[in-house]
Amino acid sequence: MATMRMLLFLAIFYSAGICMISSVTDPNDAAVLLSLKNSWQHTPPSWDKSNDPCDSRWEGVTCNNARVSRLGLSNMSLKGKLYGYIGGLTELRSLDLSFNPGLTGSLSQRLGNLKNLSILILAGCSFNGEIPDELGNLAELSFLALNSNNFSGAIPPSLGKLSKLYWLDLADNQLTGTIPISTYRSPGLDLLLKAKHFHLNKNQLSGIIPAKLFSSKMALIHLLLDRNRFTGTIPATLGLIKTLEVLRLDTNALAGSVPSNLNYLTNVNELNLAHNYLSGPLPDLSGMNSLNYVDLSNNSFDPSEAPLWFSTLPSLTTLAIEYGSLQGVVPEKLFSLPNLQLVKLKYNAFNDTLNMGDSINPQLQLVDLQNNQISRISLGYEYKNTLILFGNPVCSSSSGASNATFCQPPHQTTKS
């Protein structure tokens, strides 16, 4: 069958009137590119000037010793399908067709023939169907981006064979099923020890987040599992990945308490666990001094006063714990953290006096404490940015502050 396909390519090649003797481009590679040109719309104008891609330097085509080594046609408004003859470019090392929404259809199994491929970027197109198992045969692959398409079905366990992979992005598709983990019969994503990026967010993945997925041998810096349908608890093994910088598990259906050893992830700068069913005590984040973004909103943590880390995280820019069960006094020191910009603590049970102190960080743009139980306020000096206290006793009709700017409904609030 492969011989018949190649004969067909060569027949097309000859029928186009190409003289093979004078061609710089390998005849098989030239036949593949000519077939792509004939099947796609809106190819670059330079593709119409010659039938010898390497000699005439077709835009987006890079050659090495007459073989096509790179095909980069990102954001070209291409339309058509990626047919199987792409698998004939056996010296291809980089394939980037990203952000061409007119590229549709399923991916051919013959992509698995590109044994030298190290970069595959098909993000932002309209490909659909299942991700081919044969992609697991691309032993040299280090960068795989299939995000923002319409892929469905399960994540192929075969991707666990990609031992050189450092970037895996399958986000924003319609993938279902569980995260594949290795067994004695099958590989899984836990084998990707060199991977720095797992972007599996914005899909329909379900089941538990497997404890076996994580180990101290991993090099992950970004773990994005948000906006899926995961259930169960957050595995304690997550605390083994000391390199982690961004952790997003928000908008799932996770329950149980947050593992205490997450406090040892000292490199994490973004932590988002919002919109789950997490319970137990509010997690201790005191050791995570690199944190700049924290969102623990919309969970079911035990009622408690503000934890000590509210006032001790030097890099914190955003603190969001909305629809929580925090009570007591909002710590004055929170507002003087050197990098703080946004405080979003609405719908808790903070009470007594809100004292923002005399050393409010000038970068602080928003303090949203609407619908708490704050009865008095002391700003220390005039705070000029947005403060929202609507729905607190301090804004009741019997108080002298009811007409103050900070007591107006949020949609009416402007900077004073």
Side-chain angles (χ1 to χ4, degrees):
M1 182 62 70
T3 302
M4 292 179 62
R5 288 196 186 98
M6 190 53 61
L7 289 174
L8 177 60
F9 289 156
L10 293 176
I12 296 172
F13 200 59
Y14 279 121
S15 67
I18 300 173
C19 178
M20 293 180 60
I21 296 174
S22 60
S23 174
V24 172
T25 311
D26 175 85
N28 295 336
D29 287 5
V32 172
L33 290 179
L34 182 61
S35 297
L36 290 174
K37 174 180 176 294
N38 291 333
S39 63
W40 286 346
Q41 299 177 39
H42 305 153
T43 52
S46 60
W47 287 34
D48 295 323
K49 295 180 180 179
S50 167
N51 289 313
D52 192 351
C54 295
D55 186 41
S56 57
R57 298 183 181 179
W58 281 16
E59 183 178 354
V61 178
T62 302
C63 299
N64 184 23
N65 294 327
R67 300 301 307 275
V68 176
S69 59
R70 180 180 179 275
L71 187 58
L73 297 170
S74 178
N75 201 18
M76 289 279 189
S77 300
L78 297 175
K79 290 187 176 181
K81 296 185 177 182
L82 186 59
Y83 290 108
Y85 37 71
I86 189 73
L89 297 176
T90 55
E91 289 299 316
L92 199 64
R93 284 165 169 73
S94 175
L95 175 59
D96 183 359
L97 302 177
S98 58
F99 303 104
N100 287 292
L103 290 178
T104 62
S106 59
L107 296 185
S108 170
Q109 298 175 355
R110 292 196 63 205
L111 280 171
N113 294 346
L114 303 175
K115 305 297 186 183
N116 293 299
L117 199 66
S118 64
I119 298 173
L120 177 58
I121 308 177
L122 302 178
C125 298
S126 299
F127 294 116
N128 54 37
E130 296 187 353
I131 298 173
D133 286 335
E134 287 75 12
L135 293 188
N137 297 331
L138 303 177
E140 298 299 316
L141 203 63
S142 62
F143 195 106
L144 176 60
L146 304 180
N147 51 298
S148 303
N149 281 280
N150 298 308
F151 292 116
S152 57
I155 298 174
S158 62
L159 298 185
K161 296 190 296 182
L162 303 176
S163 60
K164 296 184 179 181
L165 198 68
Y166 82 90
W167 186 289
L168 175 63
D169 195 342
L170 306 179
D172 196 13
N173 281 289
Q174 299 169 26
L175 299 173
T176 56
T178 58
I179 296 178
I181 297 300
S182 63
T183 66
Y184 69 95
R185 291 182 177 179
S186 173
L189 301 191
D190 56 300
L191 301 180
L192 300 179
L193 300 182
K194 292 185 178 180
K196 294 182 180 289
H197 294 262
F198 274 4
H199 299 182
L200 307 180
N201 50 315
K202 299 183 185 179
N203 279 289
Q204 300 170 31
L205 300 170
S206 58
I208 65 169
I209 299 175
K212 189 181 175 183
L213 180 61
F214 311 113
S215 73
S216 59
K217 298 179 181 179
M218 300 191 88
L220 281 178
I221 59 174
H222 285 189
L223 177 63
L224 310 183
L225 301 180
D226 54 286
R227 283 169 278 187
N228 278 287
R229 299 174 180 176
F230 292 117
T231 56
T233 60
I234 299 174
T237 52
L238 189 55
L240 299 174
I241 309 176
K242 306 304 183 185
T243 52
L244 206 59
E245 296 179 4
V246 175
L247 174 59
R248 292 200 57 177
L249 303 178
D250 50 295
T251 318
N252 282 286
L254 299 170
S257 59
V258 178
S260 60
N261 65 346
L262 290 195
N263 188 37
Y264 300 123
L265 301 179
T266 55
N267 291 313
V268 168
N269 56 61
E270 179 178 345
L271 176 66
N272 195 334
L273 307 179
H275 300 279
N276 282 289
Y277 301 102
L278 298 170
S279 58
L282 202 67
D284 178 12
L285 308 182
S286 57
M288 303 172 75
N289 288 331
S290 298
L291 268 178
N292 61 54
Y293 182 99
V294 175
D295 192 347
L296 304 176
S297 303
N298 293 84
N299 281 289
S300 301
F301 294 118
D302 295 342
S304 70
E305 295 187 349
L308 291 176
W309 56 262
F310 262 39
S311 307
T312 61
L313 297 179
S315 301
L316 194 64
T317 64
T318 300
L319 173 63
I321 307 181
E322 300 179 334
Y323 297 90
S325 51
L326 292 167
Q327 57 193 22
V329 177
V330 181
E332 176 184 333
K333 290 183 178 180
L334 170 65
F335 304 106
S336 61
L337 288 176
N339 295 292
L340 194 65
Q341 298 175 23
L342 302 174
V343 175
K344 303 165 77 174
L345 297 172
K346 67 182 180 181
Y347 288 92
N348 279 280
F350 286 114
N351 53 33
D352 204 357
T353 301
L354 173 64
N355 184 355
M356 297 180 69
D358 296 321
S359 55
I360 301 173
N361 177 12
Q363 297 181 69
L364 186 59
Q365 297 297 310
L366 170 68
V367 178
D368 186 353
L369 285 163
Q370 63 180 296
N371 290 288
N372 278 271
Q373 298 174 21
I374 295 169
S375 56
R376 293 181 296 277
I377 181 170
S378 174
L379 292 179
Y381 78 95
E382 187 179 359
Y383 173 62
K384 298 182 182 299
N385 292 317
T386 303
L387 172 64
I388 306 175
L389 293 177
F390 177 78
N392 283 272
V394 70
C395 293
S396 65
S397 57
S398 60
S399 74
S402 59
N403 293 320
T405 301
F406 55 73
C407 285
Q408 303 308 308
H411 65 278
Q412 297 180 15
T413 301
T414 56
K415 292 183 180 180
S416 56

